Amino acid sequence: MDCAARKLYAAVAILALLLSPGCLGFHSRQQQPAELKEFKETVIAMDTLVTIALYVPSEEKAHKVFSEVRNELQRLEGILSAHQPGSDVIAISAAAGKEPVKVSPETLHVVQTALQYAHITQGAFDITVAPVLRLYNFDTNNPVRPSVRELERTLPLVDWRKVHVDEAQRTVFLSAEGMELDLGGVAKGYITDAAAEILLKNGVEFGSVNAGGDIRLLGPKPDGNPWRVGIKDPVNPGANNWFAIVEVRGGALVTSGDYERAFVEDGVRWHHIIDPASGLPASGASSVTVLAPTAEIADILSTALFVLGPEKGLELVESLPETEALIWARGEVFWSSGLIPQEGRGDVFYFTVKDK
Ligand code: ADP
Ligand code: MG
């Protein structure tokens, strides 16, 4: 997909995901503090539109925060992007099979977190899928999928156990030549958290960050009400076509869908989340939403649960504190025990999150 198309897809995801206050016709229980005004800004980072909304007393304050966010996201993109020359990710891939690469603390953190979750998910989340992903083209105008032979040849390069981190030396090493690092399943979540951290550091109490569907909320809305986030119907993912709405009071909510970068051939949806065991698109689910304290973890898990499917996926989620999941798979909807379905909210699922 070219850059413009990718941005467009991100824009659609954003518009669809974060519901504007009151759009479902509910009334506020409390008033928003009078001195607070809403300001919004969109920044492009990691090929994604990142929309930051914050509630502060003055425009000056908002501009200061937005400018810090922009600088920070640009800095992180320079480190974590697989497309920007000079990034850690490119350097690590270029040195595969040759030598360890000294990286920034941020890269070290993201790679270590990704490896920890590769372990927890038994390899369903694997940051070395890039060589296999490269065999596909998900552009519907020119769809390409690999032959069995190509897959067989490439699959040995996909193995998170061959990513070696030396914490003391701050290095990352891919031990086989031809391996590549792909942080596409976690970096967007990480930068979403990084933007939220800038808001918090500036004393902002109310606000949200939405990076193409990776959402992090500082807390409830300024009027004290929860945010309502719509989850797209994966079968018919048009604008405002939700299959579920989730009320959230903070933390992160991330959705992965098989409709995002995909083409359909032979009755199969070929999309960009890969089962590292087979090299084929993960068939465990069509839409996975994960709620977790950080967008980084929610991003990782939303990708991993796609591969794991609803049964194993929910078993994992139940074992993790403060983590919930909502999964659409095989035409059925599954959810974890902390999501409470509410009756009488029309023909969409409507969930609140259990207080822990
Ligand atoms: P999106 O970017 O559409 O929100 P995801 O967060 O699920 O979706 O990330 C998909 C990206 O993650 C792919 O484009 C690829 O870079 C990477 N990826 C694909 N399969 C896996 C996997 N099994 N484990 C880790 N990363 C993956
Ligand atoms: Mg993800």
mmCIF file of all heavy atoms in Angstrom, residues 16 36 81 115-116 127 207 225 227 232 253 279 309 316 319 351:
data_model
loop_
_atom_site.group_PDB
_atom_site.id
_atom_site.type_symbol
_atom_site.label_atom_id
_atom_site.label_comp_id
_atom_site.label_asym_id
_atom_site.label_seq_id
_atom_site.Cartn_x
_atom_site.Cartn_y
_atom_site.Cartn_z
ATOM 1 N N ALA A 16 -13.804 6.433 12.806
ATOM 2 C CA ALA A 16 -14.767 5.423 13.212
ATOM 3 C C ALA A 16 -14.659 5.078 14.682
ATOM 4 O O ALA A 16 -15.629 4.657 15.279
ATOM 5 C CB ALA A 16 -14.567 4.172 12.373
ATOM 6 N N LEU A 36 -12.117 24.494 31.461
ATOM 7 C CA LEU A 36 -11.443 23.624 30.485
ATOM 8 C C LEU A 36 -12.074 23.736 29.104
ATOM 9 O O LEU A 36 -13.287 23.708 28.960
ATOM 10 C CB LEU A 36 -11.498 22.166 30.954
ATOM 11 C CG LEU A 36 -10.736 21.822 32.236
ATOM 12 C CD1 LEU A 36 -10.849 20.337 32.529
ATOM 13 C CD2 LEU A 36 -9.276 22.247 32.148
ATOM 14 N N SER A 81 11.021 3.282 13.177
ATOM 15 C CA SER A 81 10.426 3.025 11.863
ATOM 16 C C SER A 81 11.242 2.026 11.051
ATOM 17 O O SER A 81 12.471 2.027 11.082
ATOM 18 C CB SER A 81 10.329 4.341 11.094
ATOM 19 O OG SER A 81 10.101 4.077 9.738
ATOM 20 N N LEU A 115 9.543 -9.481 23.110
ATOM 21 C CA LEU A 115 10.062 -10.838 23.332
ATOM 22 C C LEU A 115 9.379 -11.489 24.529
ATOM 23 O O LEU A 115 9.081 -12.683 24.519
ATOM 24 C CB LEU A 115 11.585 -10.809 23.532
ATOM 25 C CG LEU A 115 12.397 -10.421 22.290
ATOM 26 C CD1 LEU A 115 13.886 -10.397 22.619
ATOM 27 C CD2 LEU A 115 12.134 -11.371 21.125
ATOM 28 N N GLN A 116 9.130 -10.676 25.547
ATOM 29 C CA GLN A 116 8.417 -11.193 26.728
ATOM 30 C C GLN A 116 7.043 -11.728 26.318
ATOM 31 O O GLN A 116 6.624 -12.805 26.735
ATOM 32 C CB GLN A 116 8.280 -10.024 27.713
ATOM 33 C CG GLN A 116 7.702 -10.372 29.045
ATOM 34 C CD GLN A 116 7.301 -9.085 29.791
ATOM 35 O OE1 GLN A 116 7.759 -7.984 29.462
ATOM 36 N NE2 GLN A 116 6.436 -9.231 30.772
ATOM 37 N N ILE A 127 8.148 -10.718 16.403
ATOM 38 C CA ILE A 127 8.630 -9.510 15.707
ATOM 39 C C ILE A 127 9.622 -9.835 14.586
ATOM 40 O O ILE A 127 10.299 -8.949 14.085
ATOM 41 C CB ILE A 127 9.281 -8.501 16.693
ATOM 42 C CG1 ILE A 127 10.282 -9.206 17.608
ATOM 43 C CG2 ILE A 127 8.204 -7.759 17.472
ATOM 44 C CD1 ILE A 127 11.070 -8.239 18.494
ATOM 45 N N GLY A 207 -7.808 13.816 28.589
ATOM 46 C CA GLY A 207 -7.399 13.814 27.194
ATOM 47 C C GLY A 207 -7.339 12.413 26.636
ATOM 48 O O GLY A 207 -7.519 11.430 27.358
ATOM 49 N N ASN A 225 -18.015 11.350 32.845
ATOM 50 C CA ASN A 225 -18.611 10.198 32.162
ATOM 51 C C ASN A 225 -17.540 9.358 31.461
ATOM 52 O O ASN A 225 -16.486 9.869 31.109
ATOM 53 C CB ASN A 225 -19.624 10.667 31.111
ATOM 54 C CG ASN A 225 -20.922 11.099 31.752
ATOM 55 O OD1 ASN A 225 -21.358 10.505 32.738
ATOM 56 N ND2 ASN A 225 -21.515 12.146 31.210
ATOM 57 N N TRP A 227 -15.822 7.270 28.313
ATOM 58 C CA TRP A 227 -15.784 7.378 26.857
ATOM 59 C C TRP A 227 -16.525 6.181 26.300
ATOM 60 O O TRP A 227 -16.511 5.100 26.897
ATOM 61 C CB TRP A 227 -14.343 7.333 26.364
ATOM 62 C CG TRP A 227 -13.459 8.390 26.915
ATOM 63 C CD1 TRP A 227 -12.747 8.327 28.083
ATOM 64 C CD2 TRP A 227 -13.172 9.660 26.353
ATOM 65 N NE1 TRP A 227 -12.034 9.474 28.266
ATOM 66 C CE2 TRP A 227 -12.269 10.312 27.218
ATOM 67 C CE3 TRP A 227 -13.581 10.311 25.188
ATOM 68 C CZ2 TRP A 227 -11.780 11.582 26.956
ATOM 69 C CZ3 TRP A 227 -13.080 11.573 24.929
ATOM 70 C CH2 TRP A 227 -12.199 12.210 25.807
ATOM 71 N N LYS A 232 -15.706 -1.480 15.035
ATOM 72 C CA LYS A 232 -16.268 -1.708 13.698
ATOM 73 C C LYS A 232 -16.709 -3.144 13.481
ATOM 74 O O LYS A 232 -16.041 -4.082 13.902
ATOM 75 C CB LYS A 232 -15.194 -1.413 12.652
ATOM 76 C CG LYS A 232 -15.132 0.001 12.208
ATOM 77 C CD LYS A 232 -14.204 0.038 11.006
ATOM 78 C CE LYS A 232 -13.881 1.453 10.628
ATOM 79 N NZ LYS A 232 -12.943 1.482 9.504
ATOM 80 N N LEU A 253 -7.259 0.954 24.677
ATOM 81 C CA LEU A 253 -8.144 0.058 23.928
ATOM 82 C C LEU A 253 -7.623 0.013 22.492
ATOM 83 O O LEU A 253 -7.505 1.051 21.848
ATOM 84 C CB LEU A 253 -9.578 0.597 23.986
ATOM 85 C CG LEU A 253 -10.661 -0.257 23.317
ATOM 86 C CD1 LEU A 253 -12.002 -0.033 24.014
ATOM 87 C CD2 LEU A 253 -10.797 0.075 21.844
ATOM 88 N N GLY A 279 3.050 -19.029 8.345
ATOM 89 C CA GLY A 279 3.336 -17.980 7.376
ATOM 90 C C GLY A 279 2.080 -17.516 6.641
ATOM 91 O O GLY A 279 2.134 -16.654 5.769
ATOM 92 N N GLY A 309 -6.686 -17.090 18.426
ATOM 93 C CA GLY A 309 -8.117 -17.415 18.339
ATOM 94 C C GLY A 309 -8.791 -17.201 19.687
ATOM 95 O O GLY A 309 -8.127 -16.974 20.700
ATOM 96 N N LEU A 316 -5.618 -16.716 27.887
ATOM 97 C CA LEU A 316 -4.449 -15.872 28.178
ATOM 98 C C LEU A 316 -4.880 -14.570 28.855
ATOM 99 O O LEU A 316 -4.322 -14.163 29.880
ATOM 100 C CB LEU A 316 -3.686 -15.575 26.878
ATOM 101 C CG LEU A 316 -2.574 -14.524 26.973
ATOM 102 C CD1 LEU A 316 -1.445 -15.005 27.884
ATOM 103 C CD2 LEU A 316 -2.009 -14.208 25.584
ATOM 104 N N SER A 319 -5.686 -14.617 32.424
ATOM 105 C CA SER A 319 -4.534 -14.794 33.318
ATOM 106 C C SER A 319 -3.758 -13.492 33.527
ATOM 107 O O SER A 319 -2.852 -13.434 34.354
ATOM 108 C CB SER A 319 -3.595 -15.869 32.755
ATOM 109 O OG SER A 319 -2.859 -15.345 31.658
ATOM 110 N N PHE A 351 -20.922 -2.832 26.115
ATOM 111 C CA PHE A 351 -20.202 -3.366 27.268
ATOM 112 C C PHE A 351 -19.739 -2.258 28.211
ATOM 113 O O PHE A 351 -19.315 -1.182 27.762
ATOM 114 C CB PHE A 351 -18.935 -4.117 26.819
ATOM 115 C CG PHE A 351 -19.223 -5.378 26.053
ATOM 116 C CD1 PHE A 351 -19.188 -5.377 24.661
ATOM 117 C CD2 PHE A 351 -19.504 -6.563 26.717
ATOM 118 C CE1 PHE A 351 -19.440 -6.544 23.954
ATOM 119 C CE2 PHE A 351 -19.753 -7.735 26.021
ATOM 120 C CZ PHE A 351 -19.723 -7.717 24.638
#
